[in-house]
């Protein structure tokens, strides 16, 4: 298998999705949304008013499917995790995060965040508001077990499976991908709901209301697309500003000091700094002084000594005044010989002159 072709295809710059890929709140979608609302209200009313749905709940619970088919228990214990919010949200967020990075847009992640917020707000409020007890904690046979401190109506596993897997089909950009992902989301949603009934953790009416709650959230997402688009634009603008703010760290902005390279100084050269590669600088005071002396403008502007300490007189070694004994600051000592007398005296090699010989 050629992996180089795979990585080359991944490194290609993808096209950013256009506005045509964003779902609209069409008339067909509005009709589906209204039907889902009616189904939701009908389930809640059937639990409160009619006894037929509650009787079905008790019949399935007393049948105990997990005891009728015990061989499926271990497998379905793992499968029901596909409806838990934590693991599924992490998996779907990882996939949508990769899509966001590839398409250079935050819309997939923002759509998932909005869907999960709606799920927590709607399903969570109804759960704790109705307070229904689950099958394992039921106290009265034939009772709806409402307002008893529970939190299982509607089924959170079922609604979460509809939303987290259905968001993949919602964000699909091609008709084929949307159909395939819709089938996958339906399999997970129906399977997780039926598994909760098999394990005895939810009533049948809980699962029905969970399917309706998750479908309502997916159908209502196009109403939030303008807010998602605004958040996407704002977050990308903030990212660009943060990137520009980190720019001066790599390339100093105008007005910041630049690094000046100093050339090595040779012996006997003037005591001055010679910048290498530094741009010309101007000093109005020094320029005026130099212009009065008739100096060149280029020489005045490029003289580095104007930007440092004032020049000091620097005499070469040959021009220095030798230190004589008379100019020394040391006090005279009788046991010391002057510097001039330290040179050893040698006798002349030839005979002494005759004019100075003693007679």
């Amino acid at each position: 298998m050629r992996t180089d072709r795979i990585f080359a295809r991944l490194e290609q710059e993808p096209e950013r999705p256009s506005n045509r890929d964003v779902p609209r709140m069409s008339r067909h979608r509005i009709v589906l949304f209204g039907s889902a609302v009616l189904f939701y209200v009908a389930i809640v009313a059937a639990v409160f008013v009619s006894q037929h749905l509650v009787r079905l709940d008790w019949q399935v619970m007393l049948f105990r499917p997990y005891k009728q088919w015990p061989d499926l228990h271990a497998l379905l214990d793992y499968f029901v995790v596909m409806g838990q919010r934590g693991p599924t949200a992490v998996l779907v967020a990882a996939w949508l995060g990769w899509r966001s990075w590839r398409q250079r847009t935050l819309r997939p992640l923002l759509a998932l965040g909005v869907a999960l917020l709606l799920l927590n707000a709607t399903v969570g409020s109804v759960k704790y508001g109705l307070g229904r007890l689950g099958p394992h904690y039921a106290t009265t046979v034939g009772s709806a077990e409402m307002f008893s401190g529970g939190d299982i109506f509607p089924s959170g596993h079922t609604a979460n499976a509809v939303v987290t897997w259905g968001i993949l089909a919602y964000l699909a950009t091609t008709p084929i991908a949307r159909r395939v992902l819709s089938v996958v989301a339906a399999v997970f949603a129906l399977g997780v709901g039926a598994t909760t009934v098999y394990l005895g953790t939810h009533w049948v009416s809980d699962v029905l209301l969970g399917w309706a709650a998750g479908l309502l959230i997916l159908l209502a997402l196009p109403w939030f697309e303008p807010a998602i688009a605004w958040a996407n634009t704002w977050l990308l603008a903030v990212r660009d500003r943060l990137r520009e703010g980190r720019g001066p760290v790599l390339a100093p902005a105008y007005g910041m000091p630049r690094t000046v390279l100093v050339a090595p100084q040779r012996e006997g050269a003037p005591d001055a700094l010679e910048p290498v590669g530094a741009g010309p600088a101007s000093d109005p005071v020094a320029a005026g002084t130099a212009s009065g002396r008739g100096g060149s403008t280029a020489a005045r502007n490029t003289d580095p000594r104007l930007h440092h300490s004032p020049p000091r007189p620097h005499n070469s070694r040959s021009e220095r005044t030798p230190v004589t004994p008379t100019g020394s600051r040391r006090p005279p000592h009788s046991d010391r010989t002057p510097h001039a007398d330290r040179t050893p005296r040698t006798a002349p090699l030839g005979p002494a002159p005759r004019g100075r010989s003693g007679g």
Side-chain angles (χ1 to χ4, degrees):
M1 184 176 181
R2 296 292 299 276
T3 58
D4 54 346
R5 296 182 180 179
I6 297 176
F7 287 108
R9 184 172 179 82
L10 290 176
E11 292 176 357
Q12 293 179 356
E13 183 71 19
E15 295 183 0
R16 184 171 293 185
S18 61
N19 294 331
R20 293 177 299 177
D21 299 331
V22 178
R24 305 290 181 180
M25 203 65 184
S26 60
R27 182 178 301 177
H28 177 70
R29 188 179 289 268
I30 292 176
V31 171
L32 290 178
F33 183 82
S35 302
V37 169
L38 292 178
F39 182 74
Y40 190 97
V41 174
I43 295 298
V44 175
V47 173
F48 277 97
V49 178
S50 177
Q51 293 294 324
H52 298 285
L53 187 56
V54 176
R55 186 180 301 112
L56 177 63
D57 290 339
W58 278 98
Q59 288 176 353
V60 174
M61 191 273 285
L62 295 176
F63 180 71
R64 290 181 173 86
Y66 58 91
K67 289 187 176 181
Q68 301 296 329
W69 302 284
D71 297 337
L72 300 176
H73 197 284
L75 175 63
L76 295 181
D77 265 340
Y78 289 102
F79 179 75
V80 79
V81 178
M82 306 307 294
Q84 290 183 359
R85 193 163 308 166
T88 56
V90 171
L91 291 175
V92 175
W95 169 255
L96 295 181
W98 183 82
R99 280 191 54 186
S100 296
W101 175 76
R102 288 281 295 163
Q103 297 176 354
R104 305 298 189 268
T105 178
L106 297 176
R107 178 177 171 264
L109 287 176
L110 292 174
L112 176 63
V114 170
L116 292 180
L117 286 177
L118 292 175
L119 180 65
N120 292 333
T122 57
V123 176
S125 59
V126 175
K127 273 175 171 288
Y128 291 102
L130 297 180
R132 190 181 191 185
L133 293 175
H136 293 309
Y137 303 96
T139 57
T140 305
V141 177
S143 173
E145 302 294 335
M146 290 292 186
F147 308 108
S148 301
D151 57 350
I152 54 100
F153 185 69
S155 171
H157 277 69
T158 305
N160 182 74
V162 175
V163 172
T164 52
W165 299 111
I167 196 70
L168 299 179
Y170 175 83
L171 295 172
T173 56
T174 60
I176 297 178
R178 186 174 293 109
R179 293 190 188 99
V180 173
L181 292 175
S182 298
V183 173
V184 172
V187 169
F188 278 115
L190 295 174
V192 169
T195 301
T196 59
V197 175
Y198 166 85
L199 297 175
T201 57
H202 280 285
W203 308 97
V204 175
S205 56
D206 298 341
V207 175
L208 295 177
L209 196 63
W211 284 333
L215 186 60
L216 283 175
I217 293 172
L218 290 179
L219 292 174
L221 275 181
W223 280 326
F224 298 89
E225 285 294 342
I228 293 173
W230 175 85
N232 180 48
T233 304
W234 181 75
L235 289 174
L236 292 179
V238 170
R239 182 201 62 181
D240 295 338
R241 286 198 298 268
L242 291 176
R243 286 182 176 179
E244 293 175 359
R246 293 196 298 267
V249 177
L250 300 178
Y254 176 78
M256 296 184 65
R258 295 177 299 174
T259 304
V260 178
L261 299 179
V262 181
Q265 183 178 355
R266 295 175 296 179
E267 184 178 357
D271 187 9
L273 295 176
E274 299 179 3
V276 178
S282 61
D283 190 344
V285 178
T289 307
S291 61
R293 296 179 182 178
S296 175
T297 305
R300 291 194 304 270
N301 293 339
T302 58
D303 191 1
R305 292 177 293 178
L306 299 177
H307 304 282
H308 300 282
S309 60
R312 296 176 297 175
H314 187 85
N315 299 327
S316 60
R317 187 177 300 273
S318 60
E319 297 176 354
R320 292 180 181 177
T321 304
V323 180
T324 59
T326 57
S328 176
R329 297 182 181 180
R330 296 180 180 178
H333 296 276
S334 59
D335 57 346
R336 291 186 178 180
T337 306
H339 293 281
D341 298 339
R342 290 183 180 179
T343 305
R345 297 181 180 181
T346 58
L349 298 177
R354 297 178 181 181
R356 293 189 179 184
S357 59

